[in-house]
Amino acid sequence: MKIMAVDYGESRTGIAISDVTEFLASPVCIIKEKNTLKAIDKICDKSKELYAEMIVIGNPVNMDGSRGERSEKCTFVADEIAKKVDIPVVMWDERATTKTALNMLSDNGTFGKKRKEVLDAVAATVILENYLQYRKNHK
């Protein structure tokens, strides 16, 4: 099953996709959009373009597990996407994924403007890798 992951942000949203075997997760793109409803439409369009069979939305819960404003916004985005697509939409805990993505980019020598351009797509890839690992271990 091809699964698309979304790292939603106020101005940039990272997109990643798995292969059909759910083994590889790859960054796809950054959607640059500040308007939430337009971003939702672009996410839905991208899911169709990529032939995604499921969408995983990163849920930025607080480190103590509580939900803050960002988590509420991502839940709204997930709910709106679910109304517009005919595939499952799930929320996935994304705690520390941006930090992991930053470390990965540092390890690869990606800094400055280049880092900013790919960070959200790499964070979406980390979200997707974590979700794929969970699915593999909980079949």
Side-chain angles (χ1 to χ4, degrees):
M1 172 185 302
K2 287 183 81 173
I3 302 173
M4 185 176 96
V6 177
D7 181 34
Y8 175 76
E10 295 293 324
S11 58
R12 288 185 319 274
T13 297
I15 304 292
I17 193 81
S18 75
D19 66 334
V20 293
T21 67
E22 300 180 22
F23 182 73
L24 294 174
S26 303
V28 174
C29 67
I30 303 292
I31 295 173
K32 295 180 182 178
E33 181 59 66
K34 292 185 179 182
N35 180 291
T36 302
L37 297 178
K38 288 181 182 177
I40 289 166
D41 286 341
K42 289 179 180 182
I43 293 165
C44 292
D45 291 345
K46 186 57 72 174
S47 73
K48 292 172 187 158
E49 178 186 319
L50 296 171
Y51 302 102
E53 299 167 84
M54 175 185 280
I55 300 173
V56 176
I57 309 286
N59 186 9
V61 296
N62 296 322
M63 292 307 280
D64 66 1
S66 64
R67 297 183 60 204
E69 185 178 325
R70 293 277 307 124
S71 178
E72 295 296 332
K73 181 78 169 212
C74 288
T75 300
F76 170 80
V77 168
D79 290 345
E80 292 302 306
I81 290 170
K83 293 175 187 175
K84 295 177 179 241
V85 297
D86 292 325
I87 58 176
V89 177
V90 299
M91 299 287 291
W92 188 253
D93 186 344
E94 69 164 52
R95 279 181 271 192
T97 56
T98 300
K99 177 80 170 144
T100 301
L102 283 168
N103 290 340
M104 291 170 67
L105 291 170
S106 293
D107 290 346
N108 289 324
T110 305
F111 299 98
K113 186 176 180 183
K114 176 80 172 159
R115 174 186 278 201
K116 187 176 180 180
E117 290 296 317
V118 299
L119 176 61
D120 297 299
V122 174
T125 306
V126 173
I127 292 166
L128 185 53
E129 287 173 342
N130 290 341
Y131 183 74
L132 293 174
Q133 189 64 42
Y134 173 82
R135 281 177 61 92
K136 180 181 175 183
N137 293 333
H138 292 88
K139 285 194 175 194

